Amino acid sequence: MDGLVMCGGRGERLDADCEKPLVEIDGVPMVERVRDALDAVLETVYAVTSPATPETRAALDPPIIDAPGAGYVEDLSYALDRVVRPVVTATADLPFLDAAHVRRLRLAHDDRGLAVAVPLALVRAIGVSVDRTREIDGRTVVPTGLGLVDGSETEWLVWDDSALAIEVDRPGDRALAEGYA
């Protein structure tokens, strides 16, 4: 099974002095942390860049998929058309994603797409910003950016995992992640 690290977004909300995937947490760029987690478990891991992330593209070793930069969903679709499914997907702003998360996701796969969310209460308790939520089985949850796409309908997994609750979207999230590290 292969993986995709989505690292083509503009990252405007983060207000960083570099492209969002290259933002360092505890001295390591977030995209490297995510790619290392996927590389430890999966066969081939592609970085999906866009015109908005030329420095990220230059900093990464192949394989790389250059998406058009039309938006997250569009770029993900573009990348999915270029790999064999099932494929694990992860956003580059999950600095505490690790190989155990990826293994757990693979073990949960049984011919269905999967997306991982964490409880909103956990995210709020940690203090990370929240942009989107959804209701799953009567619980309000926050999508994490980790999933497994296989072409079938997606089932949501809710994991009570503080490491996955930290998605770095804003300066406060970055400061919180540095403290967590």
Side-chain angles (χ1 to χ4, degrees):
M1 187 178 296
D2 293 340
L4 299 173
V5 179
M6 301 302 296
C7 49
R10 290 187 176 87
E12 294 167 343
R13 295 172 294 180
L14 187 55
D15 193 32
D17 56 353
C18 64
E19 294 171 4
K20 183 178 180 180
L22 298 176
V23 167
E24 294 183 359
I25 301 298
D26 199 28
V28 180
M30 290 191 295
V31 67
E32 283 184 32
R33 290 169 165 268
V34 173
R35 201 170 197 186
D36 287 349
L38 297 178
D39 273 334
V41 178
L42 305 172
E43 292 179 30
T44 304
V45 177
Y46 299 86
V48 182
T49 61
S50 79
T53 55
E55 293 170 19
T56 300
R57 190 197 193 297
L60 297 174
D61 292 327
I64 295 173
I65 296 173
D66 291 312
Y72 180 82
V73 172
E74 294 83 357
D75 286 0
L76 176 60
S77 180
Y78 180 90
L80 289 170
D81 286 344
R82 285 148 181 80
V83 296
V84 176
R85 297 180 197 184
V87 62
V88 173
T89 63
T91 55
D93 56 4
L94 294 173
F96 303 109
L97 175 72
D98 63 27
H101 295 120
V102 180
R103 278 189 210 94
R104 183 176 178 192
L105 184 64
R106 282 192 68 180
L107 287 171
H109 179 248
D110 61 355
D111 298 325
R112 66 190 201 263
L114 301 170
V116 179
V118 293
L120 176 61
L122 175 62
V123 175
R124 293 234 191 267
I126 292 171
V128 180
S129 65
V130 176
D131 289 320
R132 62 197 182 288
T133 62
R134 64 181 305 130
E135 295 294 319
I136 299 174
D137 297 330
R139 294 173 77 184
T140 304
V141 300
V142 179
T144 65
L146 176 63
L148 191 151
V149 178
D150 71 357
S152 66
E153 189 172 329
T154 300
E155 178 178 321
W156 284 89
L157 304 174
V158 179
W159 294 351
D160 289 305
D161 190 319
S162 58
L164 289 178
I166 300 174
E167 181 178 352
V168 179
D169 284 327
R170 293 186 168 76
D173 302 333
R174 182 180 184 181
L176 193 139
E178 281 291 348
Y180 189 85

